[in-house]
């Protein structure tokens, strides 16, 4: 389990295609220090398993075909930035919200605006996921725990999509890959798992 509090921004150092998927080598300082084989790391919101590592320098993860198809990690090139967070220890401080690292879908950046020292980002959610999002609730975008400032229905009511606005403080902007995002770029979306549990319980009650 993760909290959505990014520890550092790593860099894609190498990528190798295999018959079964894709292997990525990610350069990192803090996150690559003290790693163990089999440890879980959130890479821009995707929970992946450490296969190899050089302490304090890099680690390698493998993306199965399903992960490549469900995320945009397969589109990353050497030098691209990714947000990194190690799994939360049992006695760790819980500063974000419950993040599983199980990407639901890929959302799209639709607006970026600078307001004094802060930033406002707007994202378009894929159809069907807006029902899991509420104003002032939590949402995970590229592995970052964020608070929903505003949720608006898409202009096309038949599309069933929504647009989420979040406010980004300078620290989050500078320490994550959001500073490198542009309109049209993809981001990994993970909605609050509590919303999905509530939905399932209500469906079971009224079946």
């Amino acid at each position: 389990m993760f909290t959505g509090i990014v520890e550092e921004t790593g860099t894609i150092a190498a990528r190798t295609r295999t018959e079964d998927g894709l292997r990525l080598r990610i350069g990192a300082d803090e996150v690559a220090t003290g790693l163990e084989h089999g440890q879980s790391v959130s890479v821009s919101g995707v929970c992946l398993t450490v296969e190899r590592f050089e302490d304090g320098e890099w680690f390698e993860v493998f993306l199965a075909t399903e992960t490549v198809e469900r995320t945009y990690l397969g589109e990353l090139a050497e030098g691209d930035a990714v947000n990194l967070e190690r799994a939360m220890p049992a006695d760790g401080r819980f500063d974000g919200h419950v993040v599983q690292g199980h990407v639901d879908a890929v959302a799209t950046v639709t607006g970026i605006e600078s307001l004094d020292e802060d930033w406002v980002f707007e994202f378009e959610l894929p159809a069907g996921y807006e029902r899991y999002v509420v104003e002032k609730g939590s949402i995970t975008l590229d592995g970052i725990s964020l608070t929903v400032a505003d949720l608006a229905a898409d202009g096309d009511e038949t599309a069933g999509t929504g647009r989420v606005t979040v406010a980004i403080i300078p620290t989050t902007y500078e320490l994550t890959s959001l500073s490198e995002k542009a309109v049209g770029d993809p981001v990994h979306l993970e909605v609050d798992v509590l919303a999905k549990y509530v939905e399932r319980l209500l469906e079971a009650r009224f079946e």
Side-chain angles (χ1 to χ4, degrees):
M1 185 183 76
F2 306 94
T3 67
I5 304 300
V6 174
E7 295 183 66
E8 72 171 311
T9 302
T11 305
I12 302 298
R15 44 175 291 146
T16 305
R17 284 281 183 181
T18 70
E19 293 182 358
D20 301 321
L22 174 68
R23 180 166 283 103
L24 296 178
R25 174 174 292 190
I26 300 171
D29 298 323
E30 182 178 348
V31 170
T33 300
L35 281 179
E36 297 180 3
H37 177 77
Q39 189 170 344
S40 295
V41 176
S42 171
V43 179
S44 287
V46 184
C47 180
L48 298 171
T49 301
V50 175
E51 291 193 338
R52 299 176 58 219
F53 64 91
E54 183 69 33
D55 195 63
E57 295 187 19
W58 53 263
F59 64 94
E60 289 186 357
V61 293
F62 179 73
L63 284 66
T65 300
E66 180 182 359
T67 303
V68 173
E69 293 175 350
R70 194 177 185 89
T71 72
Y72 68 79
L73 291 182
E75 302 172 13
L76 295 179
E78 293 183 12
D80 285 346
V82 288
N83 298 321
L84 303 176
E85 180 191 358
R86 288 166 289 189
M88 179 184 176
D91 59 348
R93 184 183 297 276
F94 205 115
D95 290 328
H97 74 282
V98 176
V99 177
Q100 295 180 299
H102 300 163
V103 172
D104 290 303
V106 176
T108 305
V109 179
T110 52
I112 302 175
E113 183 180 2
S114 175
L115 294 176
D116 297 324
E117 296 184 355
D118 296 332
W119 295 80
V120 175
F121 277 69
E122 182 187 67
F123 304 90
E124 182 176 7
L125 307 180
Y129 288 98
E130 75 288 344
R131 68 178 182 272
Y132 299 114
V133 183
V134 296
E135 187 175 342
K136 308 308 179 187
S138 296
I139 191 171
T140 307
L141 296 166
D142 265 3
I144 310 168
S145 175
L146 298 169
T147 300
V148 177
D150 187 46
L151 174 66
D154 194 281
D156 180 2
E157 295 182 359
T158 62
T161 59
R163 292 178 184 266
V164 169
T165 301
V166 297
I168 306 297
I169 62 174
T171 299
T172 302
Y173 184 80
E174 294 167 3
L175 295 182
T176 70
S177 61
L178 286 179
S179 60
E180 300 189 11
K181 292 292 183 180
V183 172
D185 283 350
V187 290
H188 293 133
L189 166 69
E190 180 183 333
V191 298
D192 193 341
V193 67
L194 297 179
K196 291 193 283 188
Y197 277 126
V198 170
E199 179 185 58
R200 184 67 188 94
L201 289 170
L202 290 174
E203 288 177 347
R205 181 176 180 179
F206 293 105
E207 283 180 353

